[in-house]
Amino acid sequence: MLVLLPPSEGKTPAPAAAPPLDLASLSHPGLTPVREKVLDALVAVSGRPDACDVLGVSRGLVDEVARNVVLRSAPAARASRVYTGVLYGAAGLDTLTPAARTRAVASVRVVSALWGVLTVDDVVPAYRLSMGTDLPGIGPLAAAWRGPLGVELTQRTEDELVVDCRSAAYRAAWTPPAGARWVDVRVLREVDGRRSVVSHHAKHTRGVLTRHLVTRRGREPRDADELAHAASALVGDALHAVELGPEPRRGARTLSLVV
């Protein structure tokens, strides 16, 4: 099982006494050359007067952008602690038992605009960069990461189910090849019999599913039907219903989580 998550937009900095980033220690070392280039480009642009405009963030986040300038020396912590948005709050990846943490490290990958892909145990500093950015010196980040991520992740799709909890911007950086067992997790809200796509609650629900998949007993789901069966254990508590769409001609099968 390969669970793909987006990063959280907001990130919690590591304690000041924590050690700095060590790029060589990160998982997926084949991505190191691209990580170096993107990191250098981000540091350079973050020191410019127009940094917020280039990075597509509001002026209210100017302090977070300024923090990018010192990323190489900034204190770093496990990704499970740095990513603290709604999805990660629900997933609770920093509060797992040893057995569940082992499963999470093996199965969960965070697709990142800066690092490409991380495990929850990779140690990184807090940063501000989204996958939709056209980064000077690099270009559109989704395109820059597509080839390298394909090298790192495609082989896993030969034997594992891909549970895709990413947003569209991060899905653009890599998609599983044709024939892969790939499920796109969608969250719908039902009110008075009518259903609609939600955003904030979608992040929470994908986080709940992620935690369930790494903490539940039994083997990991091997296909879409087994994933739907696993998710159905959340019905009556976190979910109203679980629905699995038909086999598509191409692309992902859709798992709808109704809240």
Side-chain angles (χ1 to χ4, degrees):
M1 177 180 68
L2 178 63
V3 181
L4 299 178
L5 302 179
S8 59
E9 291 186 7
K11 302 167 186 73
T12 298
L21 171 70
D22 178 6
L23 273 177
S25 73
L26 299 183
S27 63
H28 300 280
L31 297 176
T32 300
V34 186
R35 288 167 172 160
E36 289 274 12
K37 293 178 182 178
V38 175
L39 179 57
D40 285 344
L42 178 60
V43 168
V45 76
S46 296
R48 289 169 35 173
D50 62 345
C52 288
D53 294 332
V54 175
L55 297 177
V57 302
S58 70
R59 296 304 175 99
L61 298 175
V62 65
D63 289 341
E64 293 188 22
V65 171
R67 193 167 58 202
N68 286 342
V69 176
V70 294
L71 281 175
R72 287 190 179 273
S73 59
R78 290 199 305 268
S80 59
R81 293 186 176 181
V82 172
Y83 295 124
T84 50
V86 174
L87 188 155
Y88 290 88
L93 297 176
D94 201 42
T95 60
L96 299 172
T97 65
R101 180 176 170 184
T102 297
R103 177 179 279 190
V105 170
S107 300
V108 176
R109 292 294 181 272
V110 182
V111 177
S112 163
L114 179 53
W115 316 114
V117 67
L118 298 171
T119 72
V120 297
D121 262 6
D122 278 324
V123 177
V124 294
Y127 62 95
R128 192 78 194 194
L129 182 66
S130 64
M131 190 63 82
T133 303
D134 186 341
L135 190 64
I138 301 294
L141 287 172
W145 282 116
R146 195 168 297 133
L149 289 183
V151 172
E152 293 295 319
L153 298 177
T154 296
Q155 187 174 2
R156 290 193 61 168
T157 67
E158 296 176 3
D159 303 309
E160 299 181 66
L161 171 70
V162 179
V163 183
D164 201 340
C165 295
R166 296 174 295 170
S167 56
Y170 288 87
R171 194 177 298 121
W174 176 75
T175 55
R181 288 168 290 167
W182 175 25
V183 178
D184 178 31
V185 178
R186 182 175 65 165
V187 180
L188 303 175
R189 184 179 182 184
E190 183 170 300
V191 178
D192 297 329
R194 301 184 64 180
R195 293 180 179 178
S196 60
V197 176
V198 293
S199 55
H200 179 85
H201 209 92
K203 295 176 182 179
H204 174 83
T205 304
R206 289 181 177 123
V208 170
L209 176 66
T210 299
R211 185 174 182 87
H212 177 63
L213 292 176
V214 299
T215 58
R216 62 186 287 272
R217 294 182 179 180
R219 72 185 184 195
E220 296 177 344
R222 297 174 298 179
D223 57 33
D225 292 297
E226 290 187 5
L227 176 64
H229 178 73
S232 68
L234 297 170
V235 173
D237 183 12
L239 302 177
H240 175 69
V242 171
E243 297 175 358
L244 183 62
E247 290 278 2
R249 291 186 178 181
R250 56 185 297 181
R253 199 169 181 184
T254 300
L255 179 70
S256 295
L257 307 179
V258 183
V259 297

